[in-house]
């Protein structure tokens, strides 16, 4: 169906319609100013059978605890079928909120069930916080590069999105302070742990500096942490939300997608009371509440299963997948390329040598039945066309080794491989 372009265009009358018909008014400007995600379009290309894809950011389906989740749904229906099928409160199921709060407290951030709002994926938490805080024209600071659907969310709200200079460790605090002084932003959106797309983790010292800047200069912090549980080596770094100065101004976003399953569409938001209340009102307007049955099943799952043991299984598998990718990249990528070694998450970020273009390489790669995502769409402002994101979560180490060697062959086809 074509979008209506302007008011007043007439179309021929059909038998049962009035003699003349007026087209409805045009779409909101925001609906046409924000583009669909190019990554989703690339993903469609890469889902052809036989393609070894480093493009997606999907959890490995064979690691879903399908039996445990089925039992949890059974239990929700066996004990509380009517409640599971009924409308429920906007804040979320009390047992589930308590379970989330207990996990956050165990990770070093004292949290009460009342501090938590259950959301339909952490993506919705981002939308709700944006609705609560951002007016058209407000400045939102983001890491550069950053998560595409966050850029879409801020774009739809009419924000002016400004990138914060980042290096291999993430946000550079001095540069952040300068930008806050110049731009008077409403909020900083950050993924400090195993960032999407770079896999980077912001060290504790920089987290403390970011919290201090937010407190001193007056700034909301949105800490998005869907990957924090997926650590393969090194020690946990405390949440930004747990640093002095951040307590009264951080919205912490968590997700069940990477530790249970993304199809559940369950996430959560922990925020200071007034901001959480504003998010609750935004959620009432969005969807009244998150699916009752899914929340009840997740609460049953928390009660019945050792989630940490399940996460440990997932970590072991992903660690081997990350290592297989890292082991092969040295042979596949041209001399002068660089890439990082993330301590967790799902992504390795690589950079080709000067004058190389990851989008051109993708075309060669797809004809060799291997795929990745060029880094350019993740940037705000001028993109770095030499960068690419490689996700290691959905293939076995053997498939990954084969995929990396195909990537090397694609580079050779393309005349790019010099090392
Ligand atoms: N934030 C980031 C940084 C992500 O990468 C993703 C998912 N890929 C999300 C949020 C959304 O996760 P959810 O499934 O919880 O909505």
């Amino acid at each position: 169906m074509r979008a209506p372009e302007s008011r007043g265009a007439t179309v021929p009358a059909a038998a049962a319609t009035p003699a003349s018909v007026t087209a409805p008014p045009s779409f909101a400007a925001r609906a046409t100013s924000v583009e669909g995600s190019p990554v989703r379009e690339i993903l469609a290309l890469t889902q052809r059978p036989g393609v070894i894809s480093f493009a997606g950011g999907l959890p490995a389906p064979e690691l879903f605890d399908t039996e445990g989740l089925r039992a949890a749904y059974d239990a929700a229906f066996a004990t509380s079928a009517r409640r599971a099928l009924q409308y429920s409160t906007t804040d979320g199921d009390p047992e589930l909120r308590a379970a989330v709060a207990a996990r956050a407290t165990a990770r070093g951030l004292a949290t009460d069930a009342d501090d938590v709002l259950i959301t339909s994926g952490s993506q919705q938490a981002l939308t709700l916080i944006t609705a609560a805080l951002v007016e058209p024209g407000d400045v939102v600071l983001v890491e550069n590069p950053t998560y595409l659907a966050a850029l879409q969310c801020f774009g739809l709200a009419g924000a002016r999105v400004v990138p914060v200079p980042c290096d291999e460790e993430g946000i550079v605090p001095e540069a952040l302070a300068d930008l806050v002084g110049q731009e008077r932003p409403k909020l900083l959106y950050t993924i400090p742990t195993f960032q999407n797309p770079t896999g980077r983790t912001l060290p504790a010292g920089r987290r403390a500096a970011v919290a201090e800047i937010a407190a001193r200069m007056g700034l909301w912090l949105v800490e998005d942490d869907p990957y924090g549980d997926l650590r393969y080596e090194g020690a946990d770094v405390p949440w930004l939300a747990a640093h002095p100065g951040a307590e009264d101004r951080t919205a912490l976003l968590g997700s069940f997608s990477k530790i249970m399953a993304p199809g559940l569409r369950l996430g959560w938001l922990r925020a200071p009371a007034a901001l959480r209340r504003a998010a609750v009102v935004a959620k009432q307007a969005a969807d009244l509440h998150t699916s009752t049955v899914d929340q009840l099943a997740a609460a049953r799952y928390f009660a019945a299963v050792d989630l940490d043991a399940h996460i440990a299984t997932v970590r072991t598998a992903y660690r081997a997948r990350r290592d297989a990718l890292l082991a092969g990249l040295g042979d596949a990528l041209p001399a002068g390329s660089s890439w990082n070694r993330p301590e967790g998450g799902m992504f390795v970020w690589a950079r080709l040598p000067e004058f190389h273009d990851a989008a051109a390489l993708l075309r060669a790669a797809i004809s060799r039945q291997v795929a990745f995502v060029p880094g350019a769409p993740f940037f705000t402002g001028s993109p770095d066309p030499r960068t690419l994101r490689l996700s290691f979560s959905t293939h076995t180490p053997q498939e990954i080794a084969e995929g990396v060697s195909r990537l090397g062959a694609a580079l050779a086809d393309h005349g790019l491989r010099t090392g």
Side-chain angles (χ1 to χ4, degrees):
M1 193 165 118
R2 286 186 45 209
E5 272 147 28
S6 65
R7 189 167 196 157
T10 55
V11 296
T17 50
S20 97
V21 173
T22 305
S26 56
F27 288 172
R30 75 176 79 85
T32 47
S33 68
V34 176
E35 289 179 8
S37 160
V39 172
R40 292 207 159 263
E41 280 152 30
I42 292 169
L43 285 184
L45 261 183
T46 62
Q47 273 157 9
R48 294 194 310 225
V51 172
I52 296 180
S53 179
F54 301 122
L58 307 182
E62 73 278 14
L63 297 174
F64 296 155
D65 180 8
T66 48
E67 282 308 304
L69 285 167
R70 191 169 65 91
Y73 274 87
D74 283 348
F77 273 97
T79 60
S80 344
R82 290 186 180 154
R83 188 155 70 89
L85 296 171
Q86 188 54 282
Y87 281 121
S88 102
T89 61
T90 303
D91 306 74
D93 176 69
E95 256 185 76
L96 188 58
R97 294 168 79 199
V100 167
R103 278 187 76 77
T105 304
R107 264 179 77 174
L109 184 63
T111 303
D112 195 77
D114 288 344
D115 301 329
V116 173
L117 166 65
I118 301 296
T119 57
S120 303
S122 62
Q123 187 66 37
Q124 186 187 47
L126 188 58
T127 308
L128 301 179
I129 287 297
T130 304
L133 292 179
V134 178
E135 314 246 25
D138 278 350
V139 172
V140 168
L141 299 182
V142 296
E143 286 148 347
N144 208 20
T146 193
Y147 173 50
L148 267 175
L151 292 176
Q152 289 176 309
C153 179
F154 300 135
L156 283 169
R160 192 157 68 80
V161 178
V162 175
V164 182
C166 293
D167 63 17
E168 289 66 37
E169 294 190 320
I171 291 171
V172 178
E174 299 71 29
L176 172 66
D178 289 348
L179 263 184
V180 175
Q182 284 157 29
E183 299 281 359
R184 310 311 310 172
K186 198 59 139 329
L187 64 89
L188 167 70
Y189 167 75
T190 170
I191 312 154
T193 310
F194 315 136
Q195 200 238 17
N196 184 0
T198 63
R200 288 172 189 152
T201 292
L202 194 71
R206 289 199 188 186
R207 293 181 191 217
V210 169
E212 186 277 326
I213 290 164
R216 177 165 50 84
M217 303 186 77
L219 183 66
W220 289 103
L221 297 172
V222 178
E223 178 174 19
D224 192 5
D225 186 32
Y227 302 105
D229 280 308
L230 301 178
R231 176 173 281 282
Y232 316 130
E233 62 186 50
D236 279 339
V237 186
W239 274 312
L240 182 54
H243 285 80
E247 309 90 343
D248 66 341
R249 62 195 59 224
T250 305
L252 174 64
L253 279 41
S255 175
F256 294 59
S257 294
K258 311 310 191 277
I259 55 171
M260 285 190 198
L264 295 170
R265 305 309 304 128
L266 288 173
W268 52 269
L269 160 66
R270 177 195 186 276
L275 180 56
R276 194 175 37 74
R277 274 196 300 275
V280 167
V281 173
K283 185 166 169 63
Q284 285 165 355
D287 65 356
L288 302 181
H289 64 79
T290 293
S291 155
T292 319
V293 59
D294 296 326
Q295 291 189 70
L296 255 55
R300 295 283 100 220
Y301 188 80
F302 266 112
V305 167
D306 181 351
L307 184 59
D308 287 319
H310 172 66
I311 294 172
T313 309
V314 174
R315 282 177 169 172
T316 303
Y318 285 175
R319 183 187 298 113
R321 294 171 187 206
R322 177 203 61 172
D323 291 347
L325 179 60
L326 292 173
L329 280 182
D331 286 336
L333 297 186
S337 302
S338 56
W339 59 92
N340 60 358
R341 182 190 160 81
E343 292 190 333
M346 294 186 176
F347 308 111
V348 168
W349 185 244
R351 190 162 191 248
L352 299 169
E354 226 180 335
F355 309 121
H356 290 164
D357 179 355
L361 172 61
L362 177 63
R363 284 190 287 278
I366 286 179
S367 50
R368 283 275 180 183
Q369 302 278 74
V370 62
F372 58 84
V373 184
F378 298 100
F379 285 86
T380 304
S382 60
D384 182 346
R386 292 159 56 187
T387 53
L388 50 146
R389 187 190 77 175
L390 296 152
S391 162
F392 49 80
S393 51
T394 42
H395 290 287
T396 64
Q398 295 71 24
E399 289 164 342
I400 289 173
E402 165 63 19
V404 179
S405 97
R406 290 183 193 176
L407 191 61
L411 279 151
D413 295 344
H414 210 63
L416 291 175
R417 189 172 174 193
T418 56

